[in-house]
Amino acid sequence: MDKLIPDPPLEDLPTDRDAINRALDFYLDPKPAKPRQPSTMFLVHPGVDTESLLAHACESLASASAMASNFANELNGLQRSTALAIQQIVMLAELAVNRALDRVDPQT
């Protein structure tokens, strides 16, 4: 009985094996990725003390809370509820930062 599909030519087998080996190496033995370099466009100076960072974060969160509250006053319905929820999350983050700031520099 004759085969409907003939065997591949023998001269193509080594290149097929090379392609198979490259594919297996690519998927089963990947090269380690280069470590990601953070962007230096906006970089906090490494010498800034923790108290200053927390104070700045607290002020930024207070500003974001005020903006969300003012924005919520311009909205109605579900969008107002969403803006107020965002404002509440920001306020909770502000409370956490304030607590951390109190631990760094307790006020007497």
Side-chain angles (χ1 to χ4, degrees), residues 34 46 61 67 89:
K34 295 179 183 175
L61 288 169
M67 287 188 292
I89 292 169

Side-chain angles (χ1 to χ4, degrees), residues 14-58:
T15 59
D16 290 342
R17 289 186 198 277
D18 291 341
I20 291 169
N21 288 333
R22 283 193 310 275
L24 288 173
D25 287 343
F26 178 78
Y27 289 106
L28 300 178
D29 189 24
K31 303 290 185 261
K34 295 179 183 175
R36 183 175 120 23
Q37 294 293 336
S39 172
T40 57
M41 182 178 225
F42 302 105
L43 184 66
V44 176
H45 190 277
V48 178
D49 62 304
T50 303
E51 183 182 359
S52 297
L53 293 171
L54 287 171
H56 187 328
C58 182

Side-chain angles (χ1 to χ4, degrees), residues 56-79:
H56 187 328
C58 182
E59 291 171 5
S60 296
L61 288 169
S63 297
S65 178
M67 287 188 292
S69 179
N70 290 339
F71 184 62
N73 289 333
E74 304 294 323
L75 300 174
N76 292 318
L78 184 61
Q79 292 154 341

Side-chain angles (χ1 to χ4, degrees), residues 64-103:
S65 178
M67 287 188 292
S69 179
N70 290 339
F71 184 62
N73 289 333
E74 304 294 323
L75 300 174
N76 292 318
L78 184 61
Q79 292 154 341
R80 176 181 167 84
S81 297
T82 302
L84 288 174
I86 291 169
Q87 190 242 358
Q88 184 177 13
I89 292 169
V90 171
M91 280 181 24
L92 292 173
E94 183 183 1
L95 287 173
V97 170
N98 276 328
R99 176 66 59 163
L101 189 57
D102 288 343
R103 289 183 181 169

